[in-house]
Amino acid sequence: MKNKKLIVGIVAAGLAISLAGCSGGAGGRGGDSGSGSSGGDNSGALVGVAMPTKVSERWIKDGDAVKSALEDKGYKVDLEYADNKIPQQVQQVSNMITKGAKVLIVASIDGGSLSDQLDSAAKAGIKVISYDRLLTGSENVDYYVSFDNYKVGVDQATSLLTGLGLADADGAKIDGAAAKNIEVFAGSPDDNNATFFFNGAMETLKPYLEDGSLTIGSGQDQFTQAATLQWDPATAKARMQNLIASTYSGGTKLDGVLSPYDGISIGIISALEGAGYSDSALPIVTGQDAEAASVKSIIAGQQYSTIYKDTRQLADQSVVMADDILNGKTPETNDDKTYDNKAKVVPTYLFQPTIVTKDNYKEVLVDSGYYTEDDLK
Ligand code: BGC
């Protein structure tokens, strides 16, 4: 009995290998696991790609990179941007399902707003990859691909400490450094990443806040106080203006601002400049995404740092995942415990972020081909 099973297994495996070898063509390895969208020949299948907004440069790069990598593999692509409007994204994802997409790659605006669409997708056998931002509150999220979001926050705080002269470049505390005043900003409360960034940063700042080497001048140290709905630069600018008026107009010096995203950093710097800060008197301001405008600002000595996340890696990995799914293979993941979306722990592939300052931008951003020197002029 045992032997018979073994023989059947060997024959089946051999058949699968020879079938895989025969089916040529892009995206057409033709593996058939018989489960949902992974079944049958999916060469040339439609993949829906939902992105949040074109306001931020990074999502344009992400969308373009995902689309071209999918097309290189022979898939058809429906790439949509939702202008940061939740109902628009809901509609776009519904349309992708109606059009017969076999896989959805989704970077949400509000991680919890697409549950009905995810239910419909699951019923239709469509697999869902959560792209950079975790889709929350639904079992019907198959995979997640992102950067180590907690580490992004740690890196943001480490660069703030380094810029303030409180820690060395590796984050080791420098004893005897003068105490500093800071303010802290957080991202959008409907984006799961925002709390990871904030928690990573605040845990890193905690020993300095506890021993008095850092003070949050306004006392606003809670996520809800620091959050910036939809990562909106104008909202951050208005909050910075209020903080300057309430806390820093009577001679108290503001030394640093923890900012979670380059667009927010631009809003913060604009409020400071509007209040009369010159470039050389600006506090240490952090960021994220290495957007061209902010890298230029870093080169000009305004913003201090940003966090580089190579969107090419993220895009490629999401496409490898989609291609695996469409060929009946189980995508590779490297973190199957961190990202609990409140309905399940979503199998995840994480990349690592890099701190960028004036000292290393050339090496990290230009030598890697992410930008040309001209892009940053
Ligand atoms: C992304 C960040 C980005 C932010 C604002 C987050 O979900 O992970 O890279 O800065 O959204 O777009």
Side-chain angles (χ1 to χ4, degrees):
M1 183 63 192
K2 243 188 179 171
N3 279 347
K4 198 172 167 196
K5 261 193 186 163
L6 191 67
I7 291 165
V8 171
I10 291 168
V11 171
L15 193 65
I17 290 165
S18 63
L19 276 178
C22 289
S23 64
R29 276 180 283 161
D32 188 353
S33 71
S35 67
S37 59
S38 56
D41 180 4
N42 285 314
S43 49
L46 177 68
V47 178
V49 182
M51 290 282 149
T53 174
K54 282 193 168 175
V55 166
S56 161
E57 192 186 285
R58 75 149 287 186
W59 300 113
I60 301 175
K61 279 181 177 261
D62 288 84
D64 289 349
V66 173
K67 185 168 191 280
S68 66
L70 283 167
E71 285 173 350
D72 284 350
K73 289 188 184 294
Y75 297 113
K76 290 195 269 304
V77 181
D78 181 10
L79 167 63
E80 303 291 345
Y81 285 86
D83 210 10
N84 260 343
K85 296 195 175 75
I86 297 165
Q88 199 166 316
Q89 188 164 60
V90 165
Q91 191 58 49
Q92 287 171 342
V93 174
S94 298
N95 290 347
M96 289 170 188
I97 297 170
T98 313
K99 284 188 216 163
K102 300 277 187 190
V103 171
L104 299 176
I105 298 177
V106 181
S108 55
I109 298 164
D110 172 338
S113 64
L114 291 165
S115 295
D116 290 348
Q117 286 62 43
L118 299 180
D119 287 352
S120 312
K123 279 192 197 111
I126 302 166
K127 298 286 183 206
V128 176
I129 300 169
S130 199
Y131 187 92
D132 195 52
R133 296 175 171 175
L134 188 63
L135 291 158
T136 52
S138 170
E139 291 228 317
N140 301 316
V141 184
D142 298 285
Y143 296 98
Y144 180 41
V145 58
S146 190
F147 282 79
D148 183 336
N149 292 298
Y150 186 87
K151 178 71 167 33
V152 168
V154 170
D155 284 355
Q156 287 170 333
T158 300
S159 73
L160 179 65
L161 293 168
T162 309
L164 289 171
L166 292 171
D168 67 18
D170 299 324
K173 194 168 195 291
I174 297 172
D175 287 326
K180 307 281 177 184
N181 294 316
I182 59 164
E183 292 299 330
V184 296
F185 283 69
S188 193
D190 52 8
D191 181 344
N192 190 64
N193 289 347
T195 43
F196 275 80
F197 301 151
F198 193 72
N199 292 343
M202 293 307 276
E203 275 300 308
T204 308
L205 300 180
K206 198 172 168 191
Y208 297 80
L209 292 164
E210 281 178 354
D211 74 8
S213 35
L214 274 184
T215 303
I216 297 175
S218 66
Q220 296 183 19
D221 61 355
Q222 298 300 302
F223 178 81
T224 46
Q225 296 171 307
T228 313
L229 188 63
Q230 295 204 339
W231 306 89
D232 178 36
T235 304
K237 180 175 177 177
R239 178 165 178 258
M240 189 70 242
Q241 286 168 332
N242 288 336
L243 290 169
I244 295 168
S246 66
T247 313
Y248 300 98
S249 53
T252 306
K253 184 160 179 267
L254 175 62
D255 301 298
V257 184
L258 174 80
S259 165
Y261 151 58
D262 286 345
I264 288 181
S265 317
I266 286 174
I268 291 167
I269 291 172
S270 156
L272 290 161
E273 286 180 335
Y277 284 72
S278 63
D279 276 2
S280 58
L282 281 171
I284 300 296
V285 180
T286 64
Q288 172 172 206
D289 290 343
E291 298 213 324
S294 285
V295 180
K296 288 181 196 172
S297 172
I298 290 172
I299 296 168
Q302 298 164 321
Q303 188 170 320
Y304 176 74
S305 63
T306 186
I307 304 298
Y308 169 56
K309 305 194 301 190
D310 189 343
T311 49
R312 297 169 300 187
Q313 286 182 315
L314 198 62
D316 282 352
Q317 191 61 27
S318 72
V319 172
V320 167
M321 281 179 159
D323 191 44
D324 281 346
I325 292 167
L326 291 167
N327 286 292
K329 295 206 305 187
T330 303
E332 184 191 346
T333 52
N334 60 12
D335 181 332
D336 294 342
K337 59 179 196 312
T338 306
Y339 289 96
D340 184 340
N341 81 346
K342 298 188 188 83
K344 72 186 274 197
V345 177
V346 184
T348 298
Y349 195 100
L350 289 183
F351 290 98
Q352 290 303 313
T354 310
I355 298 173
V356 170
T357 63
K358 201 172 179 173
D359 291 339
N360 69 349
Y361 83 90
K362 271 200 186 129
E363 183 192 324
V364 178
L365 301 176
V366 180
D367 295 354
S368 70
Y370 196 71
Y371 287 124
T372 62
E373 287 274 9
D374 276 353
D375 292 335
L376 304 176
K377 277 187 182 138

